[in-house]
Amino acid sequence: MTRISFPNFPNSHRDPFLITSTFTTNYNCIAWAYGDDTKWYWPDPDYIFYWPPGIPREITIEAFIELFRSIGYDICPNGDKEENIEKIAIFTDNNGEPKHAARQLPEGIWTSKLGPNIDVSHSITSMEGGEYGNVRVYMFRNL
C-alpha cells in the first residue's frame, strides 16, 4: 500500500492517506460509507445517480442523515473509536451542503472513496479543511 498526500486536502501532507484500492468509477464516497460498492449514490434532481426510495432527493444534511438512519445509524457526538460500534462522518462545505462521507474501520482509522478515483484510509484530520470541507455530523450503529 502506498502513502500519498493530495494538494486539495492540505492536512494530508502531515497525516498521509493510504491507498487501499485501485481506481474505479463504480461507486462514490456516499455509497462506500453506506456499504455499497456497486452504485454511485447522489440525490441529484435529474435521477442520474442512485438514491434509495423514500429518502428525500435533496442535497441537504437532513437528507443525508435520513439516508444513514435508514440502515441503522443515529447521530453521536464524536468520531472516537468505540468497541462494537461502527461510525460514519458526513462532511459539508462552509454553506452546510454535504460533500463527502467516510466510514470508521474496526481499528479506528477511517476509509473514504475519493470521487471517481481510489479508496483511501486516513485520519479525520487529514481529510478536514480540504475539498470536502469539515465533519458536520458523526453517526453510529451497533455492530
Side-chain angles (χ1 to χ4, degrees):
M1 290 189 227
T2 305
R3 289 174 118 20
I4 56 170
S5 63
F6 281 94
N8 41 346
F9 299 102
N11 293 326
S12 68
H13 74 279
R14 69 170 194 238
D15 194 5
F17 298 138
L18 184 62
I19 299 172
T20 57
S21 78
T22 58
F23 173 91
T24 179
T25 59
N26 292 346
Y27 57 95
N28 65 348
C29 62
I30 307 304
W32 185 241
Y34 190 86
D36 185 350
D37 65 359
T38 66
K39 298 179 206 67
W40 193 281
Y41 283 51
W42 198 253
D44 63 294
D46 298 323
Y47 290 78
I48 295 169
F49 302 110
Y50 177 76
W51 196 246
I55 308 297
R57 188 173 273 274
E58 52 192 39
I59 304 170
T60 63
I61 192 67
E62 293 80 12
F64 281 69
I65 289 169
E66 192 168 328
L67 170 71
F68 288 102
R69 278 190 170 144
S70 74
I71 57 170
Y73 284 93
D74 204 358
I75 293 174
C76 64
N78 59 55
D80 295 348
K81 167 82 177 89
E82 298 180 55
E83 285 300 313
N84 300 314
I85 299 289
E86 183 176 59
K87 293 187 177 182
I88 58 117
I90 302 172
F91 291 71
T92 63
D93 64 15
N94 290 336
N95 298 318
E97 185 173 296
K99 295 293 181 188
H100 182 69
R103 179 172 30 93
Q104 193 176 52
L105 296 171
E107 57 271 20
I109 61 172
W110 295 81
T111 181
S112 290
K113 174 73 161 62
L114 301 181
N117 295 303
I118 55 176
D119 299 342
V120 294
S121 62
H122 57 86
S123 70
I124 286 294
T125 304
S126 66
M127 186 67 71
E128 285 196 312
E131 180 179 341
Y132 298 142
N134 295 301
V135 175
R136 171 84 179 273
V137 173
Y138 287 105
M139 300 182 78
F140 80 100
R141 71 177 173 186
N142 294 315
L143 291 178

